Amino acid sequence: MSETPASSVFKEAAALDAADGLAAKRAEFDLDDTVVYLDGNSLGAPPRGVAGRLADVVGREWGRLGIRSWEESGWWTAPERVGDRIGRLVGAAPGQVVVGDSTSVNVFKAVVAAIRMTRGAGEGEAPLRDEVLVDAATFPTDGYIARSAARMTGCRIRAVAAADMAREAGPRTAVALVNHVDYRTGRLHDLPGTTAALRAAGAHTVWDVCHSAGALPVRLDADGADFAVGCTYKYLNGGPGAPAFLYVRRALQDRFDSPLPGWNSHADPFAMDPAYAPAGGAVRGRVGTPEILSLLALDAALGVWDGVDLVAVRAKSLALTDFFLRCVEAYVPEGRVASVTPEAHAERGSQVSLRYGSGAGEVMAELIRRGVVGDHRRPDVLRFGFTPLYTRFADAERAARVLGEVIGAREGARR
Amino acid sequence: MSETPASSVFKEAAALDAADGLAAKRAEFDLDDTVVYLDGNSLGAPPRGVAGRLADVVGREWGRLGIRSWEESGWWTAPERVGDRIGRLVGAAPGQVVVGDSTSVNVFKAVVAAIRMTRGAGEGEAPLRDEVLVDAATFPTDGYIARSAARMTGCRIRAVAAADMAREAGPRTAVALVNHVDYRTGRLHDLPGTTAALRAAGAHTVWDVCHSAGALPVRLDADGADFAVGCTYKYLNGGPGAPAFLYVRRALQDRFDSPLPGWNSHADPFAMDPAYAPAGGAVRGRVGTPEILSLLALDAALGVWDGVDLVAVRAKSLALTDFFLRCVEAYVPEGRVASVTPEAHAERGSQVSLRYGSGAGEVMAELIRRGVVGDHRRPDVLRFGFTPLYTRFADAERAARVLGEVIGAREGARR
């Protein structure tokens, strides 16, 4: 019997899974084994440790210790403590990452603070640089919020392709807001190169690492990033709407002038001082009382990263997306889908986005009915996220196989 | 045997509890019966429904349905749905309250939006009114945030006693930010009167109802409030750091121009449109992805309010605080403590704050060691919160008795 491309990838998946050094990690997640879950880039799966931790937080910490838990259970310092755990995953030494609020709110803090760093000392002074560059393909909320930040600081905004930021930055550029990985195409942008070029132009950068944190090695310190924001409910598996994080490079912290100086960022919050005096360090990025249940669920979820090497995660991620693309080739009738995710490893995040003529929404709905969960980004993108801690090569194979079946069935029905 | 004041209040507590129409509500909370918990004005006790609901959200909604829960489990619309549940408790008809973010972040939205309502149509135009009045005794974060809002909109800020707002508002006043109940003294301010006076002066009001929501009948619609913000972890028992809420009066919603226009407030968020177009109604107050675990814990916690009449809550609250003051008189040696909470019912929230010479922090620490949990507000305030859904008259009696013992012991030791 001759080997078909399909039978070949089917056998190969089993071999790849058998050789996978991260395979045991899957058991740490609560997953439905009847489903192929390729939407961890939108909502990561629950680590098994979360449910028990939340039960303890509600029953004992809240129910028994009550208000004392702010101190005795470490609730008050959790934003920084959990921030440092995330810091390890995004290449940030302790004391530079704080968890809390949404990504949108953190974009606002970072962009306004970056603009203010270009001002003179006086409060009323106009910024010396009044241009904000925004990634033209950004996840929309970053653009909306950057526009608001610009409006409120007397700046103007200009949309520029991430790859062109270095060239477009000029003497009036205060800050560039760039997505590390494009949410739609999965393109990975050049963080160190863009940061260095912007710095040479006298501007700061704010990186949105929502689609890279936990998916690949992010090296904020080593690559000289100024600010970064990211969410924790994708590759970090923190739970639906888990709080976002803010990174402010240590050298900039003393000049970080937050537009949201809530009492949690005060140097002595319980003095209840009518005058504001900012805390030092990452704490300055806090605003109001953190949503403890969501925050401690995230804390528990981060346990799956203990002992995990992001370099191994990256290697498996690339192997998974390479393999998925080969499976698509093997299973999907030629010419029906086209990958919009870059071939080159250096330009690829941890997802594969396939363009499908018309009816992409229906195709994804049918995939989900058949137990393959990805998502649809209007108008024509089928998006598949690969989360190396729990996605198997067999999942990639099955997803491509079912995709081929669904597309084949649509074409059969049309004839 | 003659009746002493102490033996009298001890007996009276039992009679009052026996006659309490809300007494059965206590069983709906997970409370430690060995402790008198009078800190529900800082962190409400856990309603019993929360733990089970969270387990279901993590295990089934997140674990099994995953990303589909945004639609199928109603996650996406939870901020408005839970907002409407809170609306019922603060006198707001549906469609005006949205839950999410911290109180601080919501103060920022409301104050900036109120200032913008006084501008002309153009984006760059200066506000026609450029003064922000802030309650001089405000919980500090409101003041810090109002100052930032003023700074970012070219306004100046002026601290004014809540009772003087009506008199102090002038032709340049854009907005007044007032605490409905003073967090330190427990003084209840005149919401309808102040709102009407500010409106007559052409200014909007933002009410901080953190210490009144769930403690007494708040009538935002009937009293003509423009904006209100509040937290949900005090008398609403939503859990540590549970998300805050924002009320925008229906008539102002179309002019609500948010400084934090995140994608959740977009008219069509999943169109991923680079151009921002605000949604109508309460949704416009949203920003980023809501912290679902904290939000749904709050949702479950609100179940204890089903069938509860806030008028009965208020009656019990006043009876509790009246009774506690009498118990303090009976148990605490004369002249040692002085209530800073108003005598008059119309001016009292749901707490009693006692001033105690020097050593208030030590007294509260000792009270907590002896199972009476209140809190200390620097320098000299002992604060006791009364949450009518679960506080018993016997708790008030025991708290005053232990307070008398602790203060007596300190004086004995000093001799």
Side-chain angles (χ1 to χ4, degrees):
Chain A
M1 204 172 79
S2 76
E3 180 104 79
T4 64
S7 66
S8 161
V9 291
F10 185 80
K11 276 192 233 158
E12 199 179 340
L16 287 165
D17 280 323
D20 174 15
L22 288 171
K25 275 282 154 192
R26 182 174 166 93
E28 295 181 30
F29 291 85
D30 178 22
L31 285 157
D32 179 352
D33 266 329
T34 67
V35 165
V36 170
Y37 192 69
L38 299 181
D39 215 356
N41 56 334
S42 182
L43 175 64
R48 288 191 188 278
V50 172
R53 174 75 183 275
L54 268 181
D56 185 55
V57 171
V58 173
R60 188 180 57 83
E61 296 185 2
W62 178 14
R64 288 297 155 270
L65 296 173
I67 199 74
R68 292 159 53 191
S69 273
W70 283 108
E71 202 166 315
E72 293 177 28
S73 303
W75 289 355
W76 186 263
T77 52
E80 299 86 65
R81 195 176 63 248
V82 181
D84 282 345
R85 293 189 81 175
I86 291 172
R88 194 183 74 78
L89 302 173
V90 295
Q96 300 173 104
V97 176
V98 69
V99 177
D101 306 309
S102 62
T103 305
S104 299
V105 169
N106 283 302
V107 167
F108 188 73
K109 297 175 203 169
V111 172
V112 171
I115 292 168
R116 287 177 172 173
M117 285 181 190
T118 74
R119 288 182 198 271
E123 255 207 15
E125 263 180 63
L128 300 174
R129 290 167 170 259
D130 61 0
E131 180 182 72
V132 177
L133 301 183
V134 175
D135 186 339
T138 187
F139 184 81
T141 206
D142 300 50
Y144 306 157
I145 293 289
R147 185 173 295 276
S148 174
R151 170 184 172 188
M152 296 189 80
T153 51
C155 293
R156 63 201 166 84
I157 204 157
R158 190 153 61 91
V160 167
D164 299 337
M165 289 277 176
R167 197 175 57 220
E168 294 281 347
R172 299 189 65 165
T173 307
V175 57
L177 174 60
V178 199
N179 288 192
H180 194 195
V181 172
D182 186 287
Y183 77 102
R184 222 169 46 86
T185 65
R187 178 179 293 272
L188 171 65
H189 295 298
D190 176 11
L191 192 153
T194 304
T195 302
L198 267 287
R199 179 161 302 145
H204 289 112
T205 44
V206 178
W207 286 95
D208 179 333
V209 298
C210 283
H211 285 268
S212 57
L216 50 94
V218 178
R219 300 182 183 90
L220 294 177
D221 285 350
D223 290 343
D226 297 315
F227 304 91
V229 299
C231 75
T232 63
Y233 47 78
K234 298 180 188 293
Y235 297 95
L236 297 177
N237 314 298
F245 63 89
L246 170 69
Y247 164 90
V248 179
R249 183 158 60 89
R250 194 178 309 282
L252 299 178
Q253 289 179 338
D254 285 348
R255 294 159 60 206
F256 184 80
D257 181 3
S258 175
L260 293 169
W263 74 299
N264 274 226
S265 70
H266 195 282
D268 185 5
F270 291 95
M272 305 285 171
D273 189 341
Y276 180 72
V283 177
R284 196 178 288 190
R286 289 175 65 166
V287 185
T289 306
E291 300 188 30
I292 290 295
L293 301 181
S294 287
L295 176 56
L296 296 185
L298 164 63
D299 191 24
L302 291 172
V304 299
W305 294 97
D306 289 348
V308 170
D309 181 355
L310 265 295
V311 171
V313 169
R314 176 63 168 163
K316 183 176 172 187
S317 161
L318 290 169
L320 276 167
T321 50
D322 276 344
F323 181 64
F324 178 68
L325 285 164
R326 284 173 46 221
C327 292
V328 168
E329 219 169 283
Y331 286 118
V332 179
E334 214 184 320
R336 304 309 192 280
V337 296
S339 171
V340 296
T341 303
E343 281 276 331
H345 283 180
E347 296 175 11
R348 189 194 302 166
S350 197
Q351 75 187 56
V352 171
S353 293
L354 302 174
R355 184 162 282 152
Y356 176 77
S358 78
E362 289 160 35
V363 167
M364 185 49 72
E366 182 59 25
L367 280 170
I368 292 170
R369 270 190 291 275
R370 296 186 188 199
V372 173
V373 180
D375 61 26
H376 167 228
R377 285 293 173 256
R378 295 186 213 164
D380 59 355
V381 169
L382 300 168
R383 200 174 71 150
F384 301 93
F386 293 84
T387 46
L389 293 193
Y390 56 80
T391 305
R392 297 167 298 198
F393 290 90
D395 295 326
E397 188 273 339
R398 180 175 153 200
R401 180 158 36 89
V402 175
L403 178 64
E405 290 164 8
V406 169
I407 290 177
R410 283 171 64 87
E411 299 191 351
R414 256 187 235 136
R415 273 197 294 269
Chain B
M1 203 172 83
S2 76
E3 182 105 74
T4 64
S7 66
S8 161
V9 292
F10 184 80
K11 276 191 234 161
E12 197 179 340
L16 287 166
D17 279 323
D20 174 15
L22 288 170
K25 275 283 153 190
R26 183 173 165 92
E28 295 181 31
F29 291 85
D30 178 21
L31 285 158
D32 178 350
D33 267 328
T34 67
V35 165
V36 170
Y37 192 69
L38 299 181
D39 215 358
N41 55 335
S42 182
L43 174 64
R48 289 191 188 278
V50 172
R53 174 74 183 277
L54 268 180
D56 185 57
V57 171
V58 172
R60 187 180 57 82
E61 296 186 2
W62 178 14
R64 287 298 154 269
L65 296 173
I67 199 74
R68 292 159 54 192
S69 273
W70 283 108
E71 202 166 315
E72 293 177 29
S73 303
W75 289 355
W76 187 264
T77 52
E80 298 86 66
R81 194 176 62 248
V82 181
D84 282 345
R85 291 189 82 176
I86 291 171
R88 192 182 76 76
L89 302 173
V90 294
Q96 300 174 104
V97 176
V98 69
V99 177
D101 305 309
S102 62
T103 305
S104 299
V105 169
N106 283 303
V107 167
F108 188 73
K109 296 176 203 170
V111 173
V112 171
I115 292 167
R116 286 178 172 172
M117 284 181 189
T118 74
R119 285 182 199 273
E123 254 207 16
E125 263 179 65
L128 300 175
R129 289 167 170 258
D130 62 359
E131 180 183 71
V132 176
L133 300 184
V134 175
D135 185 340
T138 186
F139 185 80
T141 206
D142 300 51
Y144 306 158
I145 293 289
R147 187 172 293 278
S148 174
R151 171 183 172 187
M152 297 190 80
T153 51
C155 293
R156 63 201 165 84
I157 202 156
R158 191 153 60 92
V160 167
D164 299 338
M165 289 277 176
R167 197 175 57 220
E168 293 281 346
R172 299 188 66 165
T173 306
V175 58
L177 173 61
V178 199
N179 288 192
H180 193 193
V181 172
D182 186 287
Y183 77 102
R184 221 169 46 86
T185 65
R187 178 178 294 272
L188 171 66
H189 295 298
D190 176 11
L191 191 153
T194 304
T195 303
L198 268 287
R199 179 162 301 146
H204 288 113
T205 44
V206 178
W207 287 94
D208 179 333
V209 298
C210 283
H211 285 269
S212 56
L216 49 94
V218 178
R219 301 182 181 91
L220 295 176
D221 285 350
D223 290 344
D226 297 316
F227 305 91
V229 300
C231 76
T232 63
Y233 46 76
K234 299 181 187 291
Y235 297 95
L236 297 177
N237 313 298
F245 62 90
L246 171 68
Y247 164 89
V248 180
R249 183 157 61 88
R250 195 181 307 283
L252 298 177
Q253 289 179 337
D254 285 349
R255 295 159 59 206
F256 185 80
D257 181 4
S258 175
L260 293 168
W263 74 299
N264 273 226
S265 70
H266 195 282
D268 184 6
F270 290 95
M272 304 286 171
D273 189 341
Y276 180 71
V283 177
R284 194 178 290 190
R286 289 174 64 165
V287 184
T289 306
E291 300 188 30
I292 290 294
L293 301 181
S294 286
L295 176 55
L296 296 187
L298 165 62
D299 191 22
L302 291 173
V304 299
W305 293 97
D306 290 348
V308 170
D309 180 355
L310 265 295
V311 172
V313 168
R314 175 63 169 162
K316 182 176 172 188
S317 160
L318 290 170
L320 276 167
T321 50
D322 275 344
F323 182 64
F324 178 68
L325 285 165
R326 284 173 46 220
C327 292
V328 168
E329 220 169 283
Y331 286 118
V332 179
E334 215 186 319
R336 304 312 191 280
V337 296
S339 172
V340 296
T341 303
E343 280 276 332
H345 284 180
E347 294 174 14
R348 189 194 302 166
S350 197
Q351 75 187 53
V352 171
S353 293
L354 302 175
R355 186 161 279 150
Y356 177 76
S358 79
E362 290 160 35
V363 167
M364 183 51 71
E366 183 58 26
L367 280 171
I368 292 170
R369 270 191 292 275
R370 298 185 187 198
V372 173
V373 181
D375 60 26
H376 168 228
R377 285 292 173 255
R378 294 187 216 165
D380 59 355
V381 169
L382 301 168
R383 200 174 69 152
F384 302 93
F386 293 83
T387 46
L389 294 193
Y390 55 79
T391 304
R392 297 167 298 198
F393 290 89
D395 295 327
E397 187 274 339
R398 180 176 154 200
R401 179 159 35 92
V402 175
L403 178 63
E405 290 163 9
V406 169
I407 289 176
R410 283 172 65 87
E411 299 191 351
R414 256 189 236 136
R415 276 197 292 267

